[in-house]
Amino acid sequence: MLGIELRRSTAGTVAAALFLLGVAFMYGISGSDGWSGRWPQLATVQRGSLNFLWPLALALGAWQAGRDRRSDVGELFAGTPRPPWHRAAASATALALAVTTASLLTTAAALPPVLSGPAYFDPRALGVVAVGPLSLIAAAWLGMAAGRYLPSRLTPPGVAVAGLLVMVFCAPSAVRSDALAPLSVLAVPALPQSSDFAGVPGAVSAAQATWMAALAASALLLLGARQRRGRMLATVPALLGLAAGVALVPSGFVMTPYVTDARATRFVCADGMPRVCVRRAHAALLPEVVGPARDALRALGRLPGTPTEVREGIDHSGSPFNQERPDPATATFYTSLAYFDASTLSAELVAAGLAGGCPDRGYGPGELADAAARTAAAYWLLGTEPPVDGDNARRVLETWRTLVALPEREQRRRVEALHTAAVRCSPGLPAVLAGTGR
């Protein structure tokens, strides 16, 4: 029976649709840079695709349940001695195999960017991945149950819309209540985009898996139930699973199920001197960072009291690591694999090194002008012309051209004056570089 279902039911179509849409979401909408070299981000991006795939699995399950009605064989099968749950179990198993295969193939298709170099692996990512196919099975079986009890052509699109509404209005970011946060974490199997330095706790994955397994069990029992008592008993696994899931969810999850991954923030350093280090989650970047970083340190060496090593900082809202005090002996850069550009890293590091241990003051007009002056001085120290494209590029290029038009001794004097002012965290750096400030 299972072989016939796999060959002649919609199982193959379901697997193909979920696989193609899952891959299209990951590569077309998110882009492989979102998880390149990082297993945790691969897991969370794939779970993000459930915003669309979970409602789709609901609709496909409801469509599968209407097969007998569309073929007009319901009365024929009702007159056979075989219990209805036999056929329901075979059909449900075929659908479960289809959605599981689609989920696993989507994961396999996303592996090349992770395996292309040194990859950061967090064991908790396996739990995040495992919840994906389990939630799709629950959705497909729940859709089949809805299709059985609501036999209508409108049922598949109706349950799809209902699933989308759950994804939107029950997401942790939409439910800002401490009391409802555990229910929100369970209700929505999809995950939002995470920081490179954040992860999903194993307890959250365990809670979600428990709830989805219980929901799938209740949906399967509903498919085979013929009497009212059986339908009422079918809700017991879902209720028990909901209670167990809520108990497993750690407290304090409002708006997001992520916590800072301390292991991902540890330093990985290149061989040799001067010292160049990146965070462990970005270990794949280290070969690209070393060259520009050491070029920046050589350029900074033309001035006294400048940094002698390079380290990657953490730009992660809500992280306790954001409270790290700047170190005047370290040039710090912030990046993500999705936006890393090695061609501008040297200038970024020199500009950061000129400011010493001063904290970032923001992005107001005065701060942008100061940043342009530091960047122009950075390109002067590197001995290269600034690019014409990029943030603040026009102002940087004009400032640099004004500087290099001066006599060489005056150029150096003004860059040294800018460094002195920047180390004191003084504003008004464009005036210092223009020779009108101090």
Side-chain angles (χ1 to χ4, degrees):
M1 288 180 66
L2 179 59
I4 293 173
E5 287 289 342
L6 288 172
R7 292 194 304 270
R8 298 186 179 180
S9 72
T10 59
T13 304
V14 168
L18 293 177
F19 169 69
L20 292 175
L21 290 175
V23 172
F25 173 87
M26 297 194 70
Y27 281 98
I29 297 179
S30 297
S32 62
D33 287 341
W35 70 87
S36 178
R38 292 153 299 160
W39 284 91
Q41 278 60 47
L42 165 62
T44 55
V45 169
Q46 185 176 2
R47 286 280 298 277
S49 68
L50 294 181
N51 278 310
F52 308 99
L53 299 185
W54 205 82
L56 177 61
L58 276 172
L60 292 172
W63 178 261
Q64 171 70 13
R67 178 180 56 176
D68 291 352
R69 176 183 54 80
R70 292 191 301 272
S71 303
D72 198 22
V73 294
E75 186 177 351
L76 173 64
F77 288 132
T80 62
R82 187 182 297 275
W85 67 266
H86 281 198
R87 294 188 64 251
S91 182
T93 303
L95 203 55
L97 290 174
V99 299
T100 302
T101 300
S103 183
L104 295 177
L105 288 177
T106 302
T107 303
L111 285 179
V114 176
L115 303 178
S116 59
Y120 173 65
F121 176 73
D122 182 354
R124 296 179 298 184
L126 298 178
V128 178
V129 170
V131 172
L134 188 57
S135 66
L136 288 176
I137 292 173
W141 288 357
L142 193 62
M144 289 183 69
R148 178 189 171 186
Y149 291 103
L150 298 172
S152 168
R153 293 181 179 180
L154 297 178
T155 300
V159 295
V161 171
L164 284 172
L165 292 177
V166 169
M167 295 296 110
V168 173
F169 293 107
C170 295
S173 58
V175 180
R176 305 189 180 188
S177 167
D178 291 338
L180 297 178
L183 294 175
S184 176
V185 170
L186 297 179
V188 179
L191 291 174
Q193 189 70 33
S194 70
S195 162
D196 292 348
F197 307 111
V200 178
V204 171
S205 294
Q208 292 174 328
T210 299
W211 161 240
M212 287 299 167
L215 186 62
S218 285
L220 190 60
L221 291 175
L222 281 172
L223 280 174
R226 301 188 65 178
Q227 299 178 353
R228 183 179 179 182
R229 181 184 177 187
R231 291 192 290 269
M232 293 181 63
L233 290 175
T235 63
V236 172
L239 295 175
L240 293 176
L242 181 62
V246 169
L248 286 171
V249 175
S251 60
F253 284 94
V254 180
M255 296 186 65
T256 175
Y258 295 107
V259 294
T260 300
D261 182 1
R263 184 168 167 267
T265 64
R266 295 173 185 168
F267 284 113
V268 176
C269 301
D271 296 332
M273 298 296 290
R275 196 174 183 81
V276 177
C277 304
V278 299
R279 301 291 177 169
R280 190 168 186 174
H282 293 165
L285 279 181
L286 189 57
E288 297 182 67
V289 168
V290 172
R294 288 177 175 164
D295 289 343
L297 292 175
R298 280 193 291 270
L300 285 167
R302 298 172 62 183
L303 299 175
T306 51
T308 56
E309 66 177 40
V310 168
R311 289 191 176 189
E312 180 186 8
I314 297 178
D315 186 13
H316 171 32
S317 178
S319 167
F321 296 95
N322 265 353
Q323 307 305 317
E324 292 178 335
R325 295 179 60 85
D327 184 356
T330 302
T332 303
F333 70 101
Y334 302 90
T335 190
S336 71
L337 292 182
Y339 303 104
F340 177 71
D341 185 358
S343 65
T344 60
L345 181 59
S346 291
E348 177 187 342
L349 287 169
V350 174
L354 288 172
C358 294
D360 188 1
R361 297 196 304 272
Y363 298 96
E367 288 74 18
L368 289 176
D370 286 347
R374 288 199 309 270
T375 304
Y379 279 104
W380 182 87
L381 287 167
L382 289 168
T384 60
E385 181 176 345
V388 295
D389 298 322
D391 296 338
N392 228 9
R394 183 175 180 180
R395 180 182 290 175
V396 171
L397 187 59
E398 290 176 353
T399 304
W400 179 84
R401 285 174 174 171
T402 301
L403 178 63
V404 296
L406 300 171
E408 185 174 345
R409 181 174 295 180
E410 180 64 14
Q411 294 176 32
R412 182 176 183 85
R413 187 190 70 79
R414 293 192 182 183
V415 170
E416 289 177 346
L418 179 141
H419 176 226
T420 301
V423 167
R424 293 199 298 260
C425 306
S426 302
L429 298 183
V432 175
L433 199 59
T436 59
R438 56 179 183 171

